[in-house]
Amino acid sequence: GGLLIAEATGVSDTAQGYNDTPGIWTAEHVEAWKPIVAAVHQKGALFFCQIWHCGRVSTFELQPGGTAPLSSTEKGVGPQMSFDGRLEEFAPPRRLTVEEIPAIVDDFRKAARNAIDAGFDGVEIHGANGYIIEQFLKDSANDRTDEYGGSLENRCRFALEVVDAVVKEVGGHRVGIRLSPFADYMDCHDSDPHSLALYMSTKLNDHDILYIHMIEPRMAIVDGRRVVPKRLLPYREAFKGTFVANGGYDREEGGKVVAEGYTDLVAFGRLFLANPDLPNRFEVGADLNKYDRMTFYTPDPVIGYTDYPFLE
């Protein structure tokens, strides 16, 4: 692939929400990432580290000292069904005070610096999928009455402060952000996702970041075939940098939306997990391996990760 984006990687010891997920907040993490980054570079690809904080999507056991997870709110996340059929339950969160928020912003800044020190070409700020940045962005989760809640501008303040800090640390040309305005992951949804997406796409121009990576609304089924809704064009037009669309694309749809100018790039996740030679398969029109959702989030280093066959 031309650009690889690492799996979500914690920015601090309070950022973790699941077992067996990587981090980038210690010197030991930096050293452990170096050979992985070098291996990607040896294959000729660029490699960005996706930096995240789970916020309220966590448990007491995963927090330092068994404390409550941090969030924009004291509202918790309802039980969620995992890919392997388990019911996941999360701990009630603690609302961050205004005075505590700069420290979380700084965790993202330090994680970005660590990623560059580990050899990554850049970082993607994880502002999607119901994690801490979305817990501030979306009005279903953000019930604050201070300068970080209420109005659209206030709810976006935390996200833009994170972007500003990371850009000042490593440069806008090394920074992307992932957004999912239309999603409802982890009980995070917004009453006006269009305005949220348009505001963020416009305001991010002030920070001169490299790209926005945005998730399409849910797929539609037309004549028995999954069809991408393709509702992201207003945000692609508002943002002056590179726009990356993601969500349910196949070879045909992906090529079409790039050719039509709907997006600059298309990101593939599930298809790339199951097809290690996905660009080659696309080039020759080969059949694709079917992915197995049950192995998406397992700690096994082989099953579901390196056991899918190549064409040859």
Side-chain angles (χ1 to χ4, degrees), residues 201 204-205 209-212 235-242:
S201 300
L204 286 165
N205 290 322
I209 64 171
L210 182 62
Y211 70 80
I212 291 177
Y235 323 119
R236 186 254 199 276
E237 291 176 340
F239 181 62
K240 296 176 182 176
T242 297

Side-chain angles (χ1 to χ4, degrees), residues 273-277 281 288-290 306-312:
L273 273 179
N275 296 273
D277 51 358
R281 289 176 186 255
L288 301 182
N289 299 324
K290 289 182 170 58
T306 58
D307 58 345
Y308 286 105
F310 287 77
L311 276 176
E312 297 179 2

Side-chain angles (χ1 to χ4, degrees), residues 22-36 114 118:
I24 191 73
W25 71 87
T26 70
E28 184 181 8
H29 291 146
V30 173
E31 291 305 310
W33 273 111
K34 284 181 178 179
I36 300 169
N114 285 344

Side-chain angles (χ1 to χ4, degrees), residues 220-227:
I221 306 297
V222 178
D223 296 329
R225 184 173 180 272
R226 284 159 51 92
V227 177

